[in-house]
Amino acid sequence: EYSQFWPPAEYRKVTRRSRPEERSYLSAMLVGVGIEVGSRSNEGYLKVIAPLASSPAEEAGIQPGDLLLSVDDFPTTAISKDEVLAVLRGPSGSTTQVDVKDVQGTTRTIQLERRRLPQPPLDLHFFDVERGREVGYIRLRYFSSRATKELKKALEECEYRGVDGLVLDLRNNPGGIFEEAIADAALFLESKYSIVSTVRNYADNEPLRKNPRAISNLSVSRRLNVKDDEYYVGSQKSSNLTQVPIALILNNGSASGSEILAGALRDHHRAKLIGERSFGKGVIQYFFPLGDGSGLKLTVAKYITPAGHDISLEGGLEPDFLCKDYPHGLPEEKFVRLDRTESRQKKKPMVDRCVLLALTLAR
């Protein structure tokens, strides 16, 4: 599942090995509205897999599972998926109009402004909650070596400030580099704690746990041997950067690396999960170049949480507290107010119902 073949030009694009003459085109590809589309519905409309985190689509409230009915008055039933994506792209600052239908059947017409994507890997904000208690809020958009370094700095800043709790928002985080998701989990867990097991064979609901590996919590991307492994937190002095309560927010767009991190923190009782059931993509994939310049993305293994949960088989992670909302901002001053001493904050962070619930649980 999720395996894919690409011809040479597409393979260079997805692996970011573009030729000089292709670079201006690829730069334009990163200007859009942030909608990831998937298969077609029975009626022929394209389904939204997820909006990119902090994209115009997310800010407009487009949700995983919505149907994309038309783009700039072109019905998506009448044009190909590539043509739909081409219409969605355009100069930064220009607008496009989309018609979407949500899972309840409500149809909306939305104007979206294109901008350059992707966004920085994370945002950090601080909230004053009742009785002078402070909670840190981290929005982690994807997993990369840069994201791991910035997450470590964010946690160190939270500890320096003495926050009373943390909210970790992984909504619409599609994943990223497998090793970096493990490295991020190591920042929250005690030494020698298991993070995830990878298996190629899975029978009788018993995951194989072999070849344990200690993961540096600042590991860089590296290639794995494809075999059954268990990954656990090493004994670095910088492991477990915080011991405060954590509330972690998920939705249907939280996949892959997000599920590794969330599963590890939940199974070790380090976080309560809030939001919706996650996407359920508990697999590991690698790129394999072919002789003619084309390439394959192959699923080589699946991963199992420390408590033995098969994320793919179970259809994602079930939250401890159900909450459906998107990061668009619903400020309620009686529950939370911004720390106005932060001069570097240029705009008010997004506050919605799920964040408000998380703030009550992370104190």
Side-chain angles (χ1 to χ4, degrees), residues 5-12 15 19 288-296:
F5 167 81
W6 285 290
E10 290 296 310
Y11 186 69
R12 289 194 300 272
T15 56
R19 293 173 177 170
F288 295 92
L290 302 179
D292 63 352
S294 61
L296 296 172

Side-chain angles (χ1 to χ4, degrees), residues 306-317:
H309 295 285
D310 184 327
I311 294 172
S312 293
L313 186 65
E314 297 177 15
L317 297 170

Side-chain angles (χ1 to χ4, degrees), residues 33-38 47-53 55 57-58 62-66 171-174 251-255 279:
V33 297
I35 298 177
E36 183 182 1
V37 295
K47 295 180 181 178
V48 175
I49 296 177
L52 296 182
S55 67
E58 182 190 71
I62 294 175
Q63 300 271 5
D66 287 356
R171 283 175 293 182
N172 297 324
N173 181 327
N251 70 355
N252 299 136
S254 307
F279 186 83

Side-chain angles (χ1 to χ4, degrees), residues 281-339:
K281 186 182 178 184
V283 298
I284 300 168
Q285 298 174 295
Y286 288 122
F287 293 102
F288 295 92
L290 302 179
D292 63 352
S294 61
L296 296 172
K297 181 177 71 172
L298 293 181
T299 299
V300 297
K302 67 169 71 178
Y303 50 73
I304 311 298
T305 73
H309 295 285
D310 184 327
I311 294 172
S312 293
L313 186 65
E314 297 177 15
L317 297 170
E318 184 72 23
D320 301 304
F321 299 89
L322 185 63
C323 177
K324 186 171 183 177
D325 206 347
Y326 64 96
H328 61 292
L330 289 176
E332 297 184 21
E333 295 295 337
K334 65 179 180 179
F335 290 117
V336 62
R337 67 176 179 81
L338 257 154
D339 181 358

Side-chain angles (χ1 to χ4, degrees), residues 148-161:
T148 298
K149 293 173 183 176
E150 292 195 13
L151 179 59
K152 181 176 183 290
K153 291 179 181 178
L155 292 176
E156 289 172 342
E157 183 174 350
C158 289
E159 286 298 290
Y160 176 78
R161 294 173 66 108

